[in-house]
Structures are given as C-alpha cells and as structure tokens.
C-alpha cells in the first residue's frame, strides 16, 4: 500500500511524538539518573510501557501493563529503600560528610569555626538521632537547651542556628533529603 502525502505527514508526526515527544526526551535521562544501579531495569520498564505496549493494543496491553507495573514498582521500592537507608544514618555521621565536603570549598579558619560549632553545640544534642527523623520540634528543643545551658549573645546563637540550617540545606540540595 502506497501512502499519500497527507497520511505520510500524519504518520511522521505520530512517530516523532511517540519516540521524541517531550516526555520521551526528558523522562528517560531523569529516570536513569535517579535509578542508580537499577538503570537498565528502569529503562527496560520505560521502553516496554512507552513503546512496546502501544503496539499490542487493548487486550495484551492490560496484562503486560500489570506485569511491568509490578516490576517497575519493585524497582522503585528498592530505589526508595536505598535512599531512605542512606538518610537513616546518624546526624553526627552526616556532619562528617558535610564538613569533609566543605573542606576544599571554604577557608581553613571558616572550616575550623564550623567544626567547633558542630562538635561543641550541635552534635552533643542531635548527634545520636537519625538524620531523616529529626523534626522541627527537635530543633526547637535543641535551641532551648543551647540557650538554657549557655549565656551566649543572640548573634552567636544565630550563627549556631545558621550552621545547622546550612547542613540541612546541603542535605536537601545534594542528597535528596526531604524538607523537615
């Protein structure tokens, strides 16, 4: 069967949108980046659900969609578990990661100030807590304790709090910690 120009243009646009639509240009790299060691499983699931399933039509697609959805959910659960296990580390251990990262980014005196603030004012209170389980209530309790135990000026208390905020911002920005 020979296609006329109108049908050829329509089919060309359909194929373009199928293989190169915005979702197909953005989602696979995003999926691959976030899948970690499960990249090939995630990409196979994406290709099968976005490219292969439409070929089968309604009948086979429903069964295949159920099978591959379960496979993708298993992969996603594994990915979520690996992320949550990372943030189940103790606060004091993440402080070490944070300070190690800052080591080459800031001046030596600034690093020493950060270390002093963390190890003398923050880690003694929050160090044994899991990073992902620290709540705003815990932060308020910590602030109350620091103010009660010490006679610091407001400016120094604000400096201490700013260091804690910087650590949490770092964890949210670069390690995917959810906002607290």
């Amino acid at each position: 069967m020979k296609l006329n120009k109108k049908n050829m243009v329509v089919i060309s646009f359909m194929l373009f949108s199928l293989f190169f639509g915005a979702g197909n240009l953005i989602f696979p790299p995003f999926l691959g980046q976030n899948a970690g060691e499960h990249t090939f499983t995630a990409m196979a699931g994406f290709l099968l659900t976005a490219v292969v399933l439409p070929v089968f039509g309604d009948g086979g697609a429903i069964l295949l969609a159920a099978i591959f959805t379960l496979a993708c959910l298993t992969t996603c659960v594994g990915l979520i578990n690996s992320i949550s296990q990372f943030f189940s580390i103790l606060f004091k251990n993440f402080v070490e990661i944070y300070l190690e990262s800052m080591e080459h980014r800031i001046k030596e005196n600034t690093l020493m100030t950060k270390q002093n603030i963390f190890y003398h004012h923050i880690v003694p209170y929050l160090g044994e807590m899991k990073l992902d389980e620290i709540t705003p209530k815990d932060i308020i309790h910590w602030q109350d304790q620091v103010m009660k135990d010490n006679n610091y000026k407001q400016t120094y208390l604000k400096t201490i709090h700013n260091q804690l905020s910087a650590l949490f911002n770092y964890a949210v920005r670069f390690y995917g910690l959810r906002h607290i």
Side-chain angles (χ1 to χ4, degrees):
M1 174 176 145
K2 189 171 182 179
L3 295 175
N4 61 26
K5 284 188 177 191
K6 179 182 175 186
N7 287 342
M8 188 177 293
V9 169
V10 169
I11 290 173
S12 298
F13 278 117
M14 180 199 68
L15 288 173
F16 177 80
S17 67
L18 176 70
F19 293 110
F20 299 108
N24 290 345
L25 289 176
I26 297 168
F27 187 66
F30 175 76
L31 182 67
Q33 178 184 14
N34 290 316
E37 63 188 42
H38 302 287
T39 301
F40 292 110
T41 306
M43 292 305 289
F46 175 76
L47 288 172
L48 288 169
T49 57
V51 179
V52 175
L53 286 182
V55 172
F56 285 104
D58 292 337
I62 293 171
L63 177 61
L64 287 174
I67 292 168
F68 292 118
T69 301
L70 287 174
C72 289
L73 285 175
T74 304
T75 301
C76 289
V77 167
L79 180 62
I80 289 167
N81 286 339
S82 68
I83 291 171
S84 65
Q85 287 172 359
F86 177 79
F87 283 109
S88 289
I89 66 172
L90 295 178
F91 178 82
K92 66 182 180 182
N93 294 338
F94 192 76
V95 167
E96 292 175 18
I97 293 169
Y98 172 69
L99 292 173
E100 199 173 288
S101 173
M102 293 294 118
E103 201 170 283
H104 304 290
R105 300 171 198 265
I106 58 178
K107 293 180 181 178
E108 187 175 345
N109 285 343
T110 306
L111 179 64
M112 288 172 52
T113 301
K114 280 183 179 288
Q115 289 171 335
N116 181 49
I117 288 172
F118 277 109
Y119 292 124
H120 288 98
H121 304 296
I122 302 173
V123 170
Y125 296 96
L126 303 175
E128 296 301 320
M129 297 179 76
K130 293 182 178 179
L131 184 64
D132 63 337
E133 294 177 358
I134 296 174
T135 65
K137 185 178 177 181
D138 296 323
I139 303 298
I140 290 171
H141 180 71
W142 162 75
Q143 288 173 331
D144 291 343
Q145 283 297 117
V146 170
M147 288 188 290
K148 179 181 156 190
D149 294 346
N150 305 292
N151 193 19
Y152 296 130
K153 293 183 179 180
Q154 273 310 110
T155 53
Y156 190 64
L157 291 171
K158 186 174 181 179
T159 301
I160 295 171
H161 179 77
N162 287 343
Q163 291 303 320
L164 182 63
S165 292
L167 178 125
F168 278 113
N169 288 337
Y170 177 82
V172 167
R173 182 180 228 180
F174 297 108
Y175 286 88
L177 178 69
R178 61 172 170 59
H179 289 278
I180 62 168

